[in-house]
């Protein structure tokens, strides 16, 4: 059993590693990571955060395909914005895996650090996403 969070973006680098194939030299920066070490040693933690963005689908927020929702999970915390970055919720996945309690006011420094890292990720992986994200 692996307790570390995983993402579908981990599949590509993991399959390459399992097949002994190096990343192509022209490969853009990947979102995922090779999780083979986690499969052989479940005590290990993933080396990089999991980032997510998609059009706003309209569950809690009004659907708007021209705006993006964002999330980032790292270790025990998940940062989420369902309104294109105008507001942020922080969840403690260790104490609240159902993500029912926003703890952003308890950890403002973590919110800001994760928000900054998420903004940097959008710049690195999808330059046009920046135009959707509120300052």
């Amino acid at each position: 059993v692996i307790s570390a969070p995983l993402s579908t973006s981990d599949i590509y680098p993991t399959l390459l590693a399992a097949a002994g194939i190096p990343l192509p030299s022209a490969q853009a920066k990947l979102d995922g990571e090779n999780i083979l070490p986690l499969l052989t040693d479940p005590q290990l933690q993933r080396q990089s955060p999991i980032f997510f963005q998609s059009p706003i689908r309209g569950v809690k927020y009004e659907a708007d395909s021209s705006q993006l929702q964002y999330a980032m999970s790292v270790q025990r915390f998940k940062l989420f914005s369902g309104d294109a970055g105008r507001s942020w919720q922080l969840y403690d996945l260790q104490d609240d895996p159902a993500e029912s309690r926003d703890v952003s006011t308890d950890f403002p420094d973590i919110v800001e650090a994760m928000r900054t890292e998420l903004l940097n990720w959008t710049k690195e992986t999808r330059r046009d996403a920046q135009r959707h994200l509120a300052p």
Side-chain angles (χ1 to χ4, degrees):
V1 175
I2 298 172
S3 62
L6 306 176
S7 170
T8 55
S9 61
D10 297 329
I11 295 172
Y12 176 62
T14 301
L15 289 176
L16 287 179
I21 301 170
L23 286 174
S25 60
Q27 174 69 54
K29 184 175 191 282
L30 295 175
D31 294 340
E33 68 179 62
N34 170 15
I35 60 162
L36 286 179
L38 299 177
L39 297 174
T40 57
D41 185 354
Q43 300 304 313
L44 293 176
Q45 295 294 315
R46 67 179 297 117
Q47 299 299 305
S48 60
I50 296 173
F51 296 99
F52 172 83
Q53 69 181 9
S54 73
I56 296 173
R57 300 275 190 243
V59 176
K60 183 177 176 184
Y61 302 92
E62 185 175 333
D64 182 352
S65 62
S66 70
Q67 298 291 310
L68 296 175
Q69 60 184 351
Y70 299 91
M72 174 186 170
S73 294
V74 61
Q75 303 302 332
R76 68 183 273 192
F77 290 107
K78 178 179 178 182
L79 184 69
F80 175 76
S81 175
D83 59 5
R86 288 183 286 282
S87 66
W88 296 92
Q89 295 85 47
L90 183 71
Y91 300 101
D92 184 334
L93 301 175
Q94 185 176 347
D95 294 340
D96 178 25
E99 301 175 23
S100 61
R101 292 182 310 275
D102 176 8
V103 296
S104 59
T105 57
D106 298 333
F107 302 97
D109 293 342
I110 291 174
V111 170
E112 187 53 34
M114 289 179 72
R115 182 182 164 279
T116 298
E117 190 170 356
L118 179 58
L119 292 174
N120 289 337
W121 172 78
T122 64
K123 291 175 187 174
E124 290 176 3
T125 58
R126 189 171 170 208
R127 295 186 187 281
D128 68 336
Q130 261 321 99
R131 64 187 166 90
H132 295 289
L133 191 59

